[in-house]
Amino acid sequence: MGIYYNEKSQSFNICAKDTSYILAVAPCGYLAHVYFGKRLPDEDLTYFLRLNENPFTPLTNDRDRASYLDTLPMEYPTFGTGDYRDCALKITDENGCSTCNLEYVSHKIYGGKPSLTGLPATFAEENEAQTLEIECVDKAVGLKVTLLYTAFEDLDVITRSVRFKNCGDKPVTLTKALSACVEFDDCGYDMITLNGSWARERQVERAPLHHGKQLIDSMRGESSHQNNPFVALVSHNADEDSGEAYGFGFVYSGNFIAQAEVTQHKKTRFIMGINHADFSWLLESGEEFIAPEVVMVYSCRGIGKMSRTFHDLYRQHLIRGQYKDKRRPVLINNWEATYFDFNTEKLISIADEASKLGIEMLVMDDGWFGHRDSDNSSLGDWFVYEKKINGGLKHLVDEVNKRGMKFGIWFEPEMVSPDSELFKAHPDWAIQVKGRPMTLCREQYVLDYSRKEVRDYIYSLMRNILDNANIECIKWDMNRQITEAGSAALPKERQKELWHRYVLGVYDLMERLTTDYPYILLENCSGGGARFDAGMLYYSPQIWCSDDTDAIERLKIQYGTSLCYPCSAMGAHVSDCPNHTVGRNTPFETRGNVALVGTFGYELDVTRIPQQDRDMIPKQIETFNKYNSLVRTGDHYRIGNMFKDNTWDAWMFTAKDKSEALLEFVQVLGRPNERSRRIKLKGLDENAYYYEENAPDVKISGTALMNAGINIANLWGDYQSRLYHFIKA
Ligand code: GLA
């Protein structure tokens, strides 16, 4: 490991495991990007800046700096001085002008990784990572900009963020303050993005870069169903196992932008950060701002290796709390079982049956508070709806506990219904623009979480609930996006800070909650998976993947999610059929096998499903328990790809020491003349022999399993699935 500074060339070689990221101080103090890829020794590569190739170098003639800046690969480009590609930083100075120019001042290198105040971020011990801080300054306004880079010793990961401090005596406003810019020397890449919609999250799209800008973003106040804050730039020939892949993940849950721009000289500039549309941040003299973290992963062994690096990073260095390395309780959630139509007796009857089958936790979903019988009321009134929860919450929780089960509860803490005590008392606590009608969505408004008194009030109600019954899990939901972004508490010049202040407010409350109740399992959710992002993983070890619980739809959703998020964080449940989103009927066994990939549970009325399905539950739970440590700690390999061939899917989890592996196969559609399928395994020890658990006498070499494969025979029917457990002989 190491971050090396080469005094002579004034360059930095930031080395993670097998990766180098090199930048240098160019003439006039500009920070320039040199290289990102396979690890290189410490040597001078600054010839890649091609300073002398350009007829307009600043070395000889300062007047020609504009042309120079438009071609120099910039490490953190600013607006207004002749770099006409899209910038990372733009300001408004006291005269109303936007120009900004950064010059290198100094740097320091140290062990470990600093935390980012108020923001989620990956973490590392002093011996696990090294950090480089480069200080730059805009002399004209006195803006200090510190670029932070952390390289992980055991992972091909470099993280970045930026700290801004107004060291001048006049106010400065940041109007664009992105977290990272990476320059590529060519444009021979495909851009992979995860797009979608409600119930169809994180669908994989791959397209070659072309001249101009191609971007994904969110202006919805959350990371969104529509675009996930993740992009991979991969070589045209990259597949799961070979080729180059550069992955960028944003550790943030609000508005974002990620953009690749192919320039006039066929080079690529990639930028990522908080979306600058409707953003500004006023820095009075002495004030600071921190841009959230971007995670950069490099793989020279394909997209699969990139994903596994993200998984390892997020599992070890992002997810926190007592469930970080633990199997999660098998839960049953009553949403699809009852929707709003439940009461104490109904929930106890579900718990009665569920506990007999081995289910370990009951999560009471939406509808237990205020006077909520539909989604038309009561958000913000977090007191128990006695008509439904007759006998009180403690009674219900005690009854569930008596049956040997834990109890979890649903909250939507960021919301308020117009029909609520809260809204009647504090209509100004909802996000709104003075003098304009407020847009309703799912009959609710968003609370102004930029205001501490709003967060404090909601938290006090949550605490009343949590302190009065033995609650061991919270499902934190967020079911609408922001419109009419305005705050009754912010002055005019700070209104555009609301989007980010809102997200900081959410983080603040989640931090307080997880600190005060460390034993509570926090599951995130946002109308399904609209906030499945790395920011949220810092607070909750699992996130509800999608409201679409259909096993076949989930194949694509879970595949896309696995591109950058660990399977162990994916909320996945077995639900009833016909499926409530798509009306499809799939075998109970296949629903179980598909949910096995994530945090396992049930989303059905266990008292009403067919007896033969109910009878399968104990066995399914046994299977989940058997493989869960492999799923949580092993390496994930994608074999099938439903985005290319939607007739079958397969994936694996292989133990880090290669001692065992689980292969899951789903035949989505039965096809004529395809009664068997050859599947090549991945990630095994090629020098070892393995047997499949059900055929202990048949030993096959890892080489044969990976190169020749296994034959899955006698495939018959749609939506069939199989599990194979390979063990080292
Ligand atoms: C969202 C969630 C669901 C459920 C409902 C309750 O849609 O994704 O799982 O909790 O809200 O209103």
Side-chain angles (χ1 to χ4, degrees):
M1 178 179 63
I3 297 180
Y4 304 98
Y5 177 59
N6 186 318
E7 190 108 38
K8 200 164 140 256
S9 58
Q10 280 198 288
S11 62
F12 303 89
N13 186 349
I14 303 170
C15 297
K17 191 173 175 232
D18 297 318
T19 301
S20 277
Y21 184 98
I22 302 178
L23 59 145
V25 183
C28 302
Y30 292 114
L31 271 183
H33 178 82
V34 179
Y35 171 86
F36 183 21
K38 213 170 154 54
R39 186 171 176 152
L40 301 178
D42 179 23
E43 50 192 304
D44 184 2
L45 294 176
T46 47
Y47 52 85
F48 278 128
L49 298 180
R50 302 183 172 115
L51 295 173
N52 302 325
E53 227 174 85
N54 189 328
F56 309 109
T57 83
L59 296 171
T60 50
N61 184 349
D62 247 8
R63 274 182 315 154
D64 292 325
R65 221 161 62 169
S67 326
Y68 162 69
L69 279 185
D70 206 22
T71 55
L72 186 72
M74 297 288 278
E75 191 55 29
Y76 195 69
T78 58
F79 181 83
T81 52
D83 177 355
Y84 295 101
R85 298 160 291 182
D86 225 350
C87 64
L89 174 64
K90 194 172 172 190
I91 63 166
T92 302
D93 66 17
E94 55 151 350
N95 303 314
C97 297
S98 305
T99 294
C100 181
N101 188 44
L102 293 181
E103 281 175 42
Y104 166 84
V105 177
S106 65
H107 70 270
K108 61 178 179 191
I109 296 169
Y110 53 89
K113 183 172 191 297
S115 54
L116 305 179
T117 313
L119 284 167
T122 57
F123 48 81
E125 299 294 329
E126 206 170 317
N127 59 349
E128 291 175 324
Q130 266 203 333
T131 296
L132 163 68
E133 293 193 8
I134 303 182
E135 193 185 308
C136 305
V137 72
D138 178 298
K139 285 183 184 151
V141 297
L143 180 66
K144 187 166 98 181
V145 177
T146 308
L147 306 181
L148 288 100
Y149 300 81
T150 297
F152 282 76
E153 157 134 36
D154 291 333
L155 294 167
D156 288 301
V157 173
I158 293 163
T159 62
R160 296 179 61 169
S161 58
V162 186
R163 254 191 337 246
F164 305 86
K165 184 168 184 183
N166 181 358
C167 297
D169 47 15
K170 304 273 168 21
V172 179
T173 301
L174 305 174
T175 55
K176 187 174 185 183
L178 302 190
S179 300
C181 168
V182 181
E183 304 268 23
F184 292 84
D185 210 43
D186 60 350
C187 61
Y189 301 97
D190 292 345
M191 181 160 161
I192 298 180
T193 54
L194 301 174
N195 63 62
S197 182
W198 173 77
R200 191 169 45 78
E201 293 89 341
R202 291 173 296 287
Q203 307 288 299
V204 179
E205 201 162 87
R206 177 171 176 167
L209 294 183
H210 53 79
H211 273 103
K213 296 166 190 170
Q214 35 254 276
L215 67 91
I216 54 158
D217 70 349
S218 167
M219 273 305 294
R220 295 169 184 265
E222 63 173 348
S223 43
S224 86
H225 298 98
Q226 288 71 16
N227 286 304
N228 193 268
F230 160 81
V231 163
L233 296 181
V234 305
S235 52
H236 294 316
N237 64 353
D239 58 18
E240 281 296 309
D241 307 304
S242 62
E244 284 198 299
Y246 296 86
F248 301 94
F250 196 27
V251 189
Y252 189 63
S253 312
N255 295 344
F256 73 93
I257 182 168
Q259 174 183 289
E261 176 181 8
V262 176
T263 70
Q264 54 178 332
H265 299 306
K266 297 190 170 59
K267 303 197 187 299
T268 306
R269 169 174 288 180
F270 178 77
I271 52 178
M272 191 177 222
I274 292 179
N275 200 328
H276 49 289
D278 207 36
F279 165 86
S280 73
W281 199 276
L282 173 64
L283 289 179
E284 297 286 358
S285 178
E287 283 184 348
E288 281 196 347
F289 179 82
I290 303 176
E293 178 165 286
V294 165
V295 169
M296 309 195 298
V297 170
Y298 172 70
S299 160
C300 57
R301 279 186 281 134
I303 299 163
K305 171 76 183 358
M306 175 201 76
S307 297
R308 288 187 289 281
T309 303
F310 271 111
H311 299 172
D312 286 343
L313 178 78
Y314 290 166
R315 289 189 298 199
Q316 294 156 23
H317 300 278
L318 180 67
I319 290 172
R320 304 176 296 168
Q322 66 146 354
Y323 281 101
K324 180 174 190 268
D325 302 312
K326 251 176 51 190
R327 186 186 73 89
R328 319 283 157 72
V330 175
L331 66 83
I332 185 157
N333 178 299
N334 71 305
W335 179 240
E336 287 193 22
T338 64
Y339 294 101
F340 292 102
D341 185 17
F342 63 88
N343 58 18
T344 299
E345 285 72 39
K346 178 72 210 168
L347 293 177
I348 290 178
S349 75
I350 291 178
D352 258 338
E353 192 60 39
S355 61
K356 285 184 211 143
L357 299 168
I359 297 174
E360 297 159 311
M361 179 157 75
L362 172 71
V363 177
M364 175 170 69
D365 212 281
D366 192 357
W368 59 266
F369 51 91
H371 57 276
R372 188 148 163 109
D373 288 313
S374 72
D375 55 14
N376 286 340
S377 83
S378 305
L379 293 166
D381 294 347
W382 301 108
F383 15 81
V384 175
Y385 189 7
E386 300 276 348
K387 191 182 105 192
K388 276 165 135 177
I389 310 302
N390 36 311
L393 184 61
K394 180 161 171 22
H395 164 71
L396 170 62
V397 177
D398 288 348
E399 286 302 313
V400 171
N401 286 168
K402 266 189 220 158
R403 285 155 179 80
M405 292 174 77
K406 295 178 191 290
F407 189 89
I409 198 166
W410 181 95
F411 282 104
E412 199 179 351
E414 298 154 72
M415 298 293 151
V416 61
S417 307
D419 177 9
S420 66
E421 301 298 315
L422 175 61
F423 190 71
K424 278 172 209 135
H426 299 285
D428 64 310
W429 281 14
I431 286 179
Q432 60 198 280
V433 172
K434 210 171 151 201
R436 289 191 182 275
M438 296 158 71
T439 302
L440 272 172
C441 179
R442 211 193 188 210
E443 293 296 320
Q444 63 200 58
Y445 301 129
V446 185
L447 284 171
D448 183 355
Y449 261 44
S450 71
R451 296 171 69 169
K452 184 162 182 306
E453 68 272 30
V454 175
R455 306 195 298 270
D456 286 350
Y457 173 75
I458 294 295
Y459 192 42
S460 69
L461 297 190
M462 290 175 80
R463 292 199 73 140
N464 278 343
I465 299 292
L466 301 176
D467 293 343
N468 286 309
N470 182 27
I471 290 167
E472 296 176 79
C473 170
I474 290 177
K475 177 175 171 187
W476 178 312
D477 211 336
M478 197 282 193
N479 277 323
R480 66 153 288 182
Q481 298 162 340
I482 293 177
T483 54
E484 293 91 29
S487 167
L490 287 172
K492 186 172 127 205
E493 63 279 12
R494 289 197 183 271
Q495 283 295 336
K496 289 184 180 177
E497 297 177 14
L498 176 65
W499 296 102
H500 182 55
R501 285 186 184 275
Y502 175 81
V503 179
L504 292 179
V506 173
Y507 289 154
D508 169 61
L509 199 52
M510 286 190 180
E511 186 66 37
R512 281 151 76 179
L513 181 67
T514 49
T515 307
D516 295 342
Y517 299 91
Y519 58 88
I520 286 184
L521 171 60
L522 182 62
E523 177 176 76
N524 250 283
C525 175
S526 178
R531 220 160 46 177
F532 206 122
D533 59 59
M536 283 298 150
L537 282 181
Y538 185 67
Y539 304 96
S540 53
Q542 62 192 56
I543 303 177
W544 184 227
C545 224
S546 175
D547 276 346
D548 194 335
T549 52
D550 173 68
I552 302 306
E553 296 300 313
R554 276 295 183 112
L555 295 175
K556 282 186 177 173
I557 296 169
Q558 295 177 182
Y559 178 106
T561 307
S562 81
L563 237 52
C564 55
Y565 304 109
C567 297
S568 55
M570 294 182 199
H573 297 169
V574 176
S575 64
D576 206 359
C577 273
N579 179 266
H580 292 195
T581 308
V582 292
R584 184 177 286 129
N585 283 303
T586 51
F588 200 73
E589 185 186 6
T590 294
R591 282 176 261 160
N593 288 343
V594 173
L596 206 70
V597 173
T599 71
F600 191 73
Y602 293 86
E603 183 109 5
L604 39 73
D605 187 346
V606 76
T607 66
R608 287 178 29 192
I609 56 170
Q611 186 64 38
Q612 78 255 31
D613 289 355
R614 196 162 36 233
D615 290 345
M616 288 174 75
I617 290 179
K619 181 81 186 126
Q620 273 182 345
I621 293 176
E622 203 184 295
T623 309
F624 164 73
N625 287 336
K626 180 172 170 189
Y627 296 123
N628 184 250
S629 98
L630 202 49
V631 169
R632 270 188 301 106
T633 63
D635 286 331
H636 180 56
Y637 291 89
R638 292 175 291 260
I639 298 174
N641 180 351
M642 286 275 287
F643 295 98
K644 285 191 176 148
D645 179 350
N646 63 8
T647 63
W648 66 280
D649 200 1
W651 60 91
M652 283 180 73
F653 293 95
T654 306
K656 288 272 177 203
D657 65 2
K658 301 182 187 295
S659 58
E660 57 168 335
L662 172 69
L663 167 69
E664 294 205 40
F665 177 84
V666 179
Q667 166 153 298
V668 178
L669 293 179
R671 310 269 303 154
N673 315 320
E674 289 180 17
R675 292 289 300 278
S676 71
R677 185 172 292 277
R678 182 199 291 236
I679 295 290
K680 293 179 185 175
L681 273 56
K682 296 186 183 186
L684 302 177
D685 179 351
E686 53 185 16
N687 298 314
Y689 277 80
Y690 292 83
Y691 62 91
E692 205 285 318
E693 193 182 310
N694 297 308
D697 297 333
V698 185
K699 312 256 189 302
I700 315 175
S701 67
T703 313
L705 289 170
M706 292 193 289
N707 294 296
I710 62 162
N711 188 36
I712 301 187
N714 301 322
L715 294 169
W716 182 246
D718 297 341
Y719 316 136
Q720 303 301 312
S721 63
R722 295 193 191 161
L723 303 182
Y724 299 86
H725 186 201
F726 291 89
I727 302 163
K728 212 178 209 177

